[in-house]
Amino acid sequence: MKNHIATIALCLLSTGLLAAGKPTSHYWDLGVGSYGASGGKYETYCGLTMLDRARMDWVYLCFGNEGANPEMLNEYLKMNPNLKILVRLWPIIYKYDQNKRRSSATFMDYLYEEGIKEKMFGMIDSQVKSVLDHIDKPAAVYGFTFIEELPFHFSDYGLDETDPNKIPGDMLKYKAKFEADTGGKLTAWDAGARRWWSVKFAQAMEEINRHIKEVTGNKRVFIYIATHYKFLDWVQEGEDLCQWRLFQLYWKDLVKPGVCDGFFAYNNNSFWNKRYTELADKLDCSYFSQLSQCSGMRLASWEETVRLAETKNPHNLGYFLYITGGDKEGLWNDDPSIPDNDNFHRTSIPSHTRRYCAAKKVGMDVIARELRPRVQIVHELGKTAPGQFASIRLLIENPRDLTWFADPAEAELRNLKVKLETPPEFDVPESNSGPRELTIARLAPGKHVEVLWYAKNIGKGTYSGAAPLRVTVATDNALPAVFESRETEVAITPERVLTANASGQSWNYPAYHLKEAKVSVQATLECLRDCATLPSLSIFGSQKPKIIWNGCLRRGQKLVVGPGLKAVLYETKTSTGTDVTDKLMGMPLLLNPSAMNVITYTDEDPPTGGDKVKITIEESDATAQ
């Protein structure tokens, strides 16, 4: 009987029907990620905010394109404690060699040129430590890749050459090594030579990946091979071994226990998805992939590509989004959800990313936490004598815009419940003020509303901050926002340096600190990239003055406008300006005091992405015209 039971158990284990025999599923361990990690002030390419990055399931931190900023990563982890980080190491040594098609050290240089290996390992160590030794949560680092799109960036493209009479530069440079290893002569770029090249690539990768494992404390390591490179796993008997981009290796020569835990898969269509999933099953290893929104980078429809990226396979960790902004290319497989008026290279990357993530409900809990009402307070309770009244001004802003939500209605804050709690020495009498608790039905995205209370000092002295002033704003569709302070006076300081990346951008400029009837503005516009044609500024307060410069501001130039109707143009690296007031049109820029002003920048250029114009606001005296 015991033998029969043992036999049955063995059969069940071999078929995977016993729980103990089932492979561990790593499906969606990563989820939906972003290519690149920089956001906010650390990102100048397209305008992705820190929230755009932090709301993802994971970010692909790409050394070579960006650095590891611990302050930035720690801020992400505060916003999203579940965020994972995959790190692309980039220890590339740039060196010119006329025999190569690239100006960087190759894997052959790594193996045979003195000092290259040590220098590369030093760069790996430095990049690893800059992340693991300085972020608050090293466990958030899921794993590492050694560069990307191998063997690109790390070879002489030898496998691209199919002419046997054209021997690649690395083979010629290290001819003596080949001949010493093989005992033969290097006379052609034939199957034997290509085999040696492939084996040496595998040798270099094993050494490098083992070193990454060692220096990271055995973190996961993945190999990132460029799409359309073939391996012997996918070659039929009798096929030409000198064909284009064929490694004379099996995948198991690269992905092996203790060396490499998985691979990158570019699931371009069902053909490639089948190859990669079967490979992962065969090797029992994990993979992550890329979801390209741009139609020219896909062989399948958008809908099928998304479905393939989400393939229910226990080895499928997830994918990173690759978005260019100009992703709708007029091709048969365009993403139909992209609006025609939001398809600009770089500039549309944030809105495309947000639209997709909202549809897939990626990080919506993070969005709800971070895009709660923004509240600020202005008061001078500490200056108010007993029996006198002080104003308490509450400013509520809705930081949301339509791009963050699949349903536009969710961008609106609804049923805002406002509650004021004053220190015990202050009363808010109904005879002089609005109620302590009130409701605002809705607040549109990007808009603000003010609440003004009048509080009477019923104490025996001035307010000292012993008990706090507290305001709570709760809504139906966001987490509550709370302002609490023991300061005897609170003011709002406006942001005076603004950065525009596209025409039509606006900023709130609170001017509650100003007491004059009107305050003139001097604005400096500095062009950071491309050009700004007919740049204009308007300020909406009690009125809407607007000023336009009838010219083209080029990169490096500064235009100083105001106070009043005057303008001076400064060329790059010069301190002497040219009066260009004759090209100025409109009305002088004025700030409305004790109110929220809205500053808007426009120009006549199409969006180009990245920070374009830096605007510096200086307040002048009321009489300057």
Side-chain angles (χ1 to χ4, degrees):
M1 176 62 79
K2 289 181 180 179
N3 290 336
H4 287 299
I5 293 174
T7 302
I8 294 170
L10 181 61
C11 292
L12 290 172
L13 283 169
S14 65
T15 57
L17 295 178
L18 277 183
K22 288 183 179 179
T24 302
S25 176
H26 294 285
Y27 180 72
W28 231 240
D29 273 6
L30 285 175
V32 180
S34 68
Y35 183 77
S38 298
K41 65 181 180 181
Y42 307 100
E43 197 280 332
T44 59
Y45 179 72
C46 65
L48 284 168
T49 67
M50 294 185 75
L51 181 56
D52 283 308
R53 299 295 197 186
R55 67 94 56 91
M56 307 302 291
D57 297 327
W58 63 285
V59 292
Y60 195 16
L61 174 61
C62 296
F63 280 100
N65 295 353
E66 58 191 344
N69 188 297
E71 180 185 359
M72 174 188 75
L73 296 175
N74 288 333
E75 189 63 32
Y76 293 167
L77 290 168
K78 288 178 184 176
M79 288 190 273
N80 181 6
N82 296 319
L83 181 74
K84 295 184 178 69
I85 303 166
L86 188 64
V87 181
R88 183 192 76 181
L89 299 171
W90 197 264
I92 295 301
I93 300 170
Y94 293 97
K95 54 192 290 294
Y96 178 73
D97 189 324
Q98 63 182 2
N99 292 322
K100 297 189 182 71
R101 292 172 59 181
R102 295 189 63 79
S103 57
S104 58
T106 67
F107 70 88
M108 291 280 195
D109 297 325
Y110 162 87
L111 290 171
Y112 298 120
E113 185 172 324
E114 184 178 354
I116 294 293
K117 178 185 297 189
E118 292 76 15
K119 189 172 182 179
M120 287 187 67
F121 280 7
M123 294 172 72
I124 289 172
D125 296 354
S126 176
Q127 291 173 14
V128 167
K129 290 178 181 179
S130 71
V131 179
L132 294 182
D133 290 0
H134 297 284
I135 65 171
D136 295 336
K137 188 180 176 183
V141 178
Y142 189 82
F144 292 81
T145 67
F146 171 75
I147 64 176
E148 65 176 48
E149 296 181 328
L150 291 165
F152 299 154
H153 314 294
F154 198 44
S155 77
D156 62 354
Y157 288 72
L159 296 184
D160 283 21
E161 183 56 69
T162 57
D163 186 341
N165 298 312
K166 294 181 179 180
I167 301 174
D170 263 2
M171 295 296 293
L172 293 173
K173 183 175 181 178
Y174 298 108
K175 178 180 178 180
K177 299 294 184 182
F178 167 82
E179 293 180 346
D181 282 354
T182 64
K185 295 293 184 181
L186 179 63
T187 58
W189 185 226
D190 55 17
R194 296 169 77 95
R195 170 65 179 166
W196 185 81
W197 191 100
S198 300
V199 168
K200 291 302 173 182
F201 174 79
Q203 178 187 335
M205 290 313 305
E206 177 161 346
E207 289 182 10
I208 291 169
N209 286 339
R210 283 190 185 278
H211 181 77
I212 295 171
K213 283 274 189 185
E214 179 182 352
V215 75
T216 63
N218 202 35
K219 289 280 189 181
R220 300 174 187 86
V221 175
F222 300 90
I223 192 162
Y224 194 136
I225 300 292
T227 311
H228 297 140
Y229 271 85
K230 292 176 66 175
F231 287 79
L232 295 176
D233 307 71
W234 300 332
V235 172
Q236 302 298 317
E237 186 177 350
E239 272 194 60
D240 181 12
L241 296 182
C242 295
Q243 61 182 278
W244 181 69
R245 292 188 176 179
L246 171 63
F247 278 107
Q248 290 200 35
L249 298 170
Y250 291 92
W251 272 97
K252 67 180 181 180
D253 297 321
L254 298 175
V255 180
K256 56 177 69 174
V259 177
C260 180
D261 302 284
F263 58 86
F264 166 78
Y266 195 73
N267 295 318
N268 219 340
N269 57 16
S270 57
F271 171 85
W272 283 99
N273 186 63
K274 184 173 183 292
R275 270 196 169 178
Y276 285 127
T277 53
E278 289 179 348
L279 177 64
D281 292 341
K282 177 182 176 182
L283 298 176
D284 190 22
C285 71
S286 300
Y287 70 88
F288 69 98
S289 63
Q290 172 178 329
L291 177 59
S292 299
Q293 189 178 43
C294 35
S295 45
M297 293 181 68
R298 292 184 276 107
L299 297 176
S301 69
W302 171 245
E303 295 78 8
E304 183 184 4
T305 307
V306 173
R307 179 181 61 79
L308 294 174
E310 297 173 344
T311 296
K312 293 294 194 330
N313 181 289
H315 304 293
N316 182 8
L317 298 173
Y319 58 85
F320 64 77
L321 287 170
Y322 187 82
I323 293 174
T324 67
D327 302 286
K328 194 172 187 178
E329 303 178 79
L331 299 176
W332 71 274
N333 56 346
D334 281 343
D335 175 0
S337 72
I338 300 175
D340 291 334
N341 63 353
D342 184 18
N343 190 46
F344 299 101
H345 181 62
R346 292 193 302 191
T347 303
S348 296
I349 290 176
S351 56
H352 286 201
T353 302
R354 294 170 192 171
R355 189 178 296 113
Y356 179 83
C357 289
K360 290 295 182 179
K361 303 188 185 308
V362 177
M364 296 310 294
D365 57 331
V366 182
I367 299 300
R369 282 198 301 271
E370 298 300 321
L371 294 184
R372 66 183 73 188
R374 185 178 296 143
V375 299
Q376 298 181 84
I377 289 284
V378 178
H379 76 75
E380 295 181 343
L381 297 183
K383 290 184 176 181
T384 308
Q388 299 300 310
F389 281 85
S391 63
I392 301 173
R393 187 186 300 270
L394 168 67
L395 173 65
I396 308 173
E397 297 177 85
N398 181 353
R400 303 178 173 192
D401 65 50
L402 298 178
T403 62
W404 292 103
F405 301 92
D407 180 1
E410 286 301 308
E412 183 180 76
L413 293 174
R414 297 190 297 272
N415 197 29
L416 289 83
K417 301 285 188 182
V418 181
K419 182 179 180 180
L420 170 68
E421 298 172 76
T422 58
E425 56 263 51
F426 282 90
D427 185 28
V428 182
E430 293 183 8
S431 58
N432 298 82
S433 181
R436 286 176 176 267
E437 297 188 34
L438 54 92
T439 300
I440 301 169
R442 57 180 55 87
L443 185 58
K447 300 300 182 181
H448 69 275
V449 65
E450 296 179 29
V451 180
L452 187 60
W453 292 284
Y454 292 96
K456 184 178 181 180
N457 186 341
I458 59 174
K460 296 181 179 180
T462 56
Y463 174 59
S464 62
L469 173 74
R470 179 183 174 94
V471 176
T472 304
V473 180
T475 78
D476 285 353
N477 60 332
L479 293 179
V482 178
F483 176 92
E484 183 174 305
S485 172
R486 295 175 184 266
E487 298 293 326
T488 57
E489 297 177 43
V490 177
I492 301 175
T493 303
E495 181 63 54
R496 292 185 170 87
V497 178
L498 316 170
T499 305
N501 53 45
S503 178
Q505 199 162 346
S506 295
W507 305 266
N508 287 337
Y509 190 96
Y512 302 106
H513 61 291
L514 299 176
K515 307 301 181 184
E516 294 86 351
K518 56 183 178 179
V519 177
S520 292
V521 168
Q522 177 177 287
T524 301
L525 284 70
E526 179 183 358
C527 186
L528 304 177
R529 66 184 309 150
D530 306 316
C531 65
T533 307
L534 301 182
S536 76
L537 282 180
S538 63
I539 299 180
F540 182 77
S542 59
Q543 53 183 320
K544 192 176 182 180
K546 181 176 182 178
I547 202 159
I548 304 173
W549 187 61
N550 188 21
C552 182
L553 192 64
R554 303 190 182 280
R555 181 177 180 179
Q557 292 182 323
K558 294 182 181 180
L559 179 69
V560 180
V561 178
L565 280 174
K566 64 180 181 181
V568 179
L569 180 66
Y570 293 87
E571 297 293 337
T572 306
K573 297 180 180 179
T574 62
S575 57
T576 303
T578 304
D579 191 308
V580 290
T581 304
D582 59 328
K583 291 186 176 183
L584 206 58
M585 301 179 292
M587 299 169 57
L589 298 175
L590 300 173
L591 288 169
N592 189 35
S594 299
M596 176 64 78
N597 294 258
V598 179
I599 299 176
T600 302
Y601 167 83
T602 64
D603 60 37
E604 296 300 314
D605 304 307
T608 57
D611 294 342
K612 180 178 179 180
V613 177
K614 183 171 77 173
I615 304 164
T616 304
I617 302 296
E618 296 180 56
E619 298 160 1
S620 184
D621 63 74
T623 59
Q625 294 291 321

